[in-house]
């Protein structure tokens, strides 16, 4: 404790595949924030496929509790490994963190930085500015269901509490930015689950009458987004649709390696109230090649800084990244020739 402010503690879980490679490029930014006087500690935790295969442990209860009660946030790389095809460790590490820390709101922004990276005709990067609010704890991610030889059932749970928590955050976000809100749904088919979403959405519409809001069938929304993303400000979606929409929007930013995300618990039930992770996965096709793009995880860390109230640091990180990208810094996925480490250096060059 210095000056009455307890240090922020970050649990760093690099995970699998390209996760450790890209997280390594974000760690110097933690040291930079500390050098600017921020009280900050971090601890690297080994959980992921290698640890699971070596020990049988995914995320032990004791480690989970020490993150929950002893850290303020998690910086996460990615999980997923071809040696564990059922993804059990991913479920017990990543989904557990999201669900058991009650990180019900996952914000996945889309702010393309360079016209040349946007795959849409006649749309300029600066004209696209979308925040996806993804429900982060429910839907089919409850992983309940059953498999019979010729029949399979996946249950999707939608609770009033979680849907309200997500939609409130999305309406608040739209109000703060002065944009409209679009709810992605399929209430025409998912009558029960998305019926509840529509009911709660309509009630909140009355409360947030200053926010122009509309609900679109998720399939039609995807078409509209590709035709012209410029009218969209905030998109609210359930866990599964939010996952899909955010990968589409990653493409507008230049690809999977570019897109950041932050999840948080609005009611902050535990000390650990936030998880910063890129939108991309472990990219087994790239792992070990030294070519993964670290932009998404670095921007995710910037979002975590903003969540801590460290606005200046967040802006410096975002500014440094944007300047590098606009100056042409690019890994191979962006059409350039930089490797993960040289890209990391370029993205951090503006940190003063
Ligand atoms: P993926 O995001 O790992 O890869 C999709 C494509 O994007 C691949 O071509 C990959 O090379 C590319 N890509 C991803 N990250 C990149 C980066 N940083 N730089 C450059 N290119 C990048 O998705 P996938 O292939 O569907 O899944 C691979 C594994 O990751 C699976 O096990 C999946 O379950 C897991 N996954 C984990 C997370 C997570 O931990 N949050 C997210 C998505 C997928
Ligand atoms: C993501 C990923 C995860 C998800 C997987 C790995 C469970 O795709 O973070 O977007 O579906 O949430
Ligand atoms: Mn995804």
């Amino acid at each position: 404790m210095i000056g009455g402010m307890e240090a922020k503690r970050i649990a760093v879980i690099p995970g699998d595949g390209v996760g450790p490679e890209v997280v390594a490029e974000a760690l110097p930014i933690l040291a930079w924030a500390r050098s600017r006087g921020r009280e900050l500690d971090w601890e690297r935790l080994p959980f992921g496929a290698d640890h699971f295969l070596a020990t049988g442990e995914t995320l032990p209860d004791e480690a989970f509790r020490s993150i929950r009660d002893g850290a303020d946030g998690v910086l996460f790389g990615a999980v997923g490994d071809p040696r564990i095809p059922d993804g059990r460790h991913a479920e017990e590490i990543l989904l557990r963190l999201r669900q058991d820390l009650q990180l019900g709101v996952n914000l996945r922004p889309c702010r393309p930085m360079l016209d040349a990276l946007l795959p849409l005709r006649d749309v300029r990067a600066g004209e696209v500015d979308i925040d996806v609010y993804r429900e982060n704890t429910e839907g089919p991610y409850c992983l309940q269901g059953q498999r019979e030889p010729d029949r399979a059932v996946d249950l999707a749970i939608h609770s009033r509490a979680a849907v309200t928590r997500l939609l409130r955050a999305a309406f608040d976000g739209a109000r703060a930015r002065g944009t409209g809100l679009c709810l992605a749904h399929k209430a025409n088919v998912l009558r029960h689950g998305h019926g509840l979403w529509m009911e709660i959405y309509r009630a909140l519409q009355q409360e947030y009458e200053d926010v122009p809001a509309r609900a679109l069938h998720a399939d039609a929304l995807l078409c509209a987004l590709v035709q012209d993303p410029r009218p969209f400000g905030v998109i609210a979606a359930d866990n599964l649709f939010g996952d899909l929409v955010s990968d589409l929007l990653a493409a507008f930013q230049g690809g999977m390696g570019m897109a950041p995300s932050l999840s948080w618990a609005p009611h902050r039930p535990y000390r650990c109230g936030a998880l910063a992770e890129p939108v991309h996965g472990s990219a087994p096709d790239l792992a070990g090649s030294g070519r993964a793009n670290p932009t998404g995880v670095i921007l995710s860390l910037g979002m975590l800084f903003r969540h801590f109230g460290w606005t200046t640091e967040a802006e410096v990180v975002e500014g440094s990244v944007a300047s590098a990208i606009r100056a042409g810094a690019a890994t191979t996925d962006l059409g350039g020739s930089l490797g993960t480490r040289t890209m990391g250096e370029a993205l951090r060059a503006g940190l003063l």
Side-chain angles (χ1 to χ4, degrees):
M1 290 257 281
I2 293 178
M5 285 272 283
E6 200 178 337
K8 295 286 187 206
R9 303 208 71 227
I10 299 180
V12 178
I13 305 181
D16 305 335
V18 298
E21 301 169 38
V22 295
V23 166
E25 299 310 315
L27 294 181
I29 300 175
L30 295 176
W32 165 80
R34 188 150 69 183
S35 76
R36 288 173 52 94
R38 292 297 184 188
E39 295 293 320
L40 174 66
D41 294 317
W42 60 96
E43 182 183 8
R44 186 188 167 104
L45 301 174
F47 307 113
D50 286 342
H51 185 79
F52 174 56
L53 292 171
T55 66
E57 277 180 358
T58 51
L59 177 60
D61 287 338
E62 199 187 321
F64 171 74
R65 280 195 296 268
S66 101
I67 294 170
R68 184 188 67 188
D69 304 325
D72 298 280
V74 179
L75 177 65
F76 199 89
V79 274
D81 189 296
R83 294 169 297 173
I84 310 169
D86 67 0
R88 186 189 139 193
H89 74 303
E91 170 189 342
E92 294 183 10
I93 300 171
L94 180 59
L95 297 191
R96 181 173 186 198
L97 287 170
R98 292 176 183 171
Q99 293 172 5
D100 290 2
L101 295 174
Q102 298 180 38
L103 305 172
V105 181
N106 179 213
L107 174 58
R108 296 186 157 190
C110 172
R111 310 208 200 299
M113 291 179 273
L114 188 67
D115 292 345
L117 295 178
L118 199 78
L120 298 175
R121 200 178 50 215
D122 299 332
V123 180
R124 312 293 300 263
E127 296 174 326
V128 180
D129 189 350
I130 303 174
D131 282 327
V132 176
Y133 284 78
R134 172 190 181 187
E135 203 291 319
N136 209 31
T137 60
E138 296 191 335
Y141 289 77
C142 64
L143 304 182
Q144 293 177 39
Q146 68 198 57
R147 173 68 197 263
E148 297 160 16
D150 299 312
R151 191 171 168 271
V153 177
D154 286 307
L155 201 67
I157 295 178
H158 303 268
S159 71
R160 184 176 295 281
V163 175
T164 307
R165 173 171 69 188
L166 184 279
L167 285 178
R168 266 198 190 287
F171 270 106
D172 286 340
R175 177 179 274 169
R177 285 186 48 199
T179 72
L181 176 146
C182 177
L183 171 65
H185 73 97
K186 283 287 283 183
N188 51 343
V189 180
L190 305 174
R191 293 198 177 127
H192 308 289
H194 284 189
L196 178 65
W197 274 81
M198 289 306 294
E199 181 190 315
I200 297 168
Y201 161 76
R202 288 200 187 100
L204 288 175
Q205 243 185 318
Q206 305 302 312
E207 198 182 314
Y208 291 83
E209 51 189 3
D210 53 311
V211 176
R214 61 183 173 146
L216 281 184
H217 290 132
D219 45 358
L221 167 65
L222 297 183
C223 180
L225 274 171
V226 173
Q227 285 178 323
D228 190 358
R230 290 172 289 198
F232 292 90
V234 164
I235 295 173
D238 78 358
N239 207 342
L240 183 59
F241 290 180
D243 183 42
L244 304 183
V245 171
S246 58
D247 275 27
L248 174 72
L249 296 186
F252 294 175
Q253 296 167 76
M256 289 309 302
M258 298 295 286
S261 93
L262 185 81
S263 306
W264 70 90
H267 298 102
R268 193 83 195 274
Y270 305 110
R271 173 170 175 183
C272 188
L275 165 70
E277 53 168 327
V279 169
H280 68 74
S282 57
D285 54 331
L286 275 186
S289 71
R291 287 190 289 126
N293 182 348
T295 308
V297 74
I298 287 176
L299 289 173
S300 303
L301 179 58
M303 293 178 77
L304 184 62
F305 285 170
R306 180 166 279 111
H307 181 81
F308 286 161
W310 299 353
T311 314
T312 311
E313 283 78 3
E315 283 171 359
V316 173
V317 169
E318 287 160 3
S320 178
V321 167
S323 304
I325 300 285
R326 291 189 186 120
T331 35
T332 50
D333 53 309
L334 305 180
S337 58
L338 296 184
T340 307
R341 291 178 63 180
T342 44
M343 183 69 168
E345 282 164 16
L347 298 173
R348 295 190 304 269
L351 301 185
L352 302 171

